[in-house]
Amino acid sequence: MNGAWEKHSSPAPESAALSLKIPFNDPTVLQRLSQQLEYYLEALTPERRIVIVCVGTDRSTGDSLGPLVGTALAREYSPLFDLYGTLEEPVHAMNLGDTLLRIMRGSRQPFVIAVDACLGQVASVGCIQIGSGPVRPGAGVNKELPPVGDIHMTGIVNVGGFMEYFVLQNTRLNLVVKMSEIIAQSLLNAVQKTRSKPVIPFALPD
C-alpha cells in the first residue's frame, strides 16, 4: 500500500492548489476551512465515495487529534462519507496498512481525506492546515508508515524537533479538543454542502 495515493490521486482544482494554514482561534477559521474543503469536493464526480481517515491514538494526548475528530463525526452520523478512526476504534501504526487495504477494496477510486496531528514551529502551534496530497503518519517521530489521503488536514498540536514522543505525551488536551471540534465541523459543513444535504451544526468551544 505504500505510495498508493501518489499513484491514483487526481489533480486538485487550481483554486485549491495552495494549502491553507490558519490558527484555530481565528474568527474566520470555520468558514475558511469549510470553503477550502469545498473547493476539493466540488470537483469530484458524484460516484466518487468520500472517505475520511482520522489517524492517531488515544494513548497519547497530542496524537489523539485524529480519533477525536473521528468520534465527533461519528456522533453526527452521515451516510455521505465513510469514516475510519475514532477513540473506540483508532487507526494507528499497527493497523494503518490493513485499514488502507479495506478502503481500496470497498470503494472504487475513493477520495480520501486524511486527518492527523503534527508537530511544528512555536509560532504555528494551534494552526490547522489543509493541503493536497497525502499525509505521512509517524514522520514526526521517525516512523515509516504508508502515506494516506488525496488531501490532508493536520493540526499542529505542539513544538517539533526535540523529544517528539515526550512532546506528544505532554500536549494540552484542551488545545487538541478545540482543534478537533473545528476540524470535524468544517468537514461536516463541506461534505453536506457539496453533496446537497442540509448542515446540522454541533456545538463548538467558546
Side-chain angles (χ1 to χ4, degrees), residues 57 60-66 117-118 157 167-172 176:
T57 173
S60 169
T61 304
D63 207 23
S64 65
L65 176 72
C118 68
V157 298
V167 169
L168 282 171
Q169 293 284 357
N170 288 274
T171 296
R172 289 202 63 197
V176 177

Side-chain angles (χ1 to χ4, degrees), residues 47-167:
E47 293 77 23
R48 288 195 73 179
R49 184 69 176 167
I50 296 172
V51 179
I52 301 174
V53 181
C54 301
V55 182
T57 173
D58 59 347
R59 295 179 181 272
S60 169
T61 304
D63 207 23
S64 65
L65 176 72
L68 284 167
V69 172
T71 298
L73 290 172
R75 285 197 299 264
E76 306 294 325
Y77 170 76
S78 172
L80 302 178
F81 57 85
D82 296 329
L83 175 66
Y84 296 85
T86 63
L87 290 172
E88 184 174 1
E89 297 182 0
V91 173
H92 46 62
M94 300 300 292
N95 64 7
L96 179 60
D98 290 340
T99 301
L100 299 183
L101 192 58
R102 286 173 56 198
I103 293 170
M104 297 304 294
R105 287 175 173 173
S107 301
R108 182 179 179 183
Q109 200 182 12
F111 185 83
V112 176
I113 304 171
V115 180
D116 197 8
C118 68
L119 302 175
Q121 298 179 347
V122 174
S124 296
V125 173
C127 288
I128 299 169
Q129 304 175 121
I130 300 178
S132 59
V135 69
R136 300 182 181 276
V141 290
N142 299 314
K143 286 186 178 180
E144 291 288 338
L145 297 174
V148 185
D150 293 280
I151 65 171
H152 62 270
M153 297 188 72
T154 55
I156 303 174
V157 298
N158 214 327
V159 181
F162 180 71
M163 298 180 66
E164 282 82 359
Y165 280 106
F166 179 81
V167 169

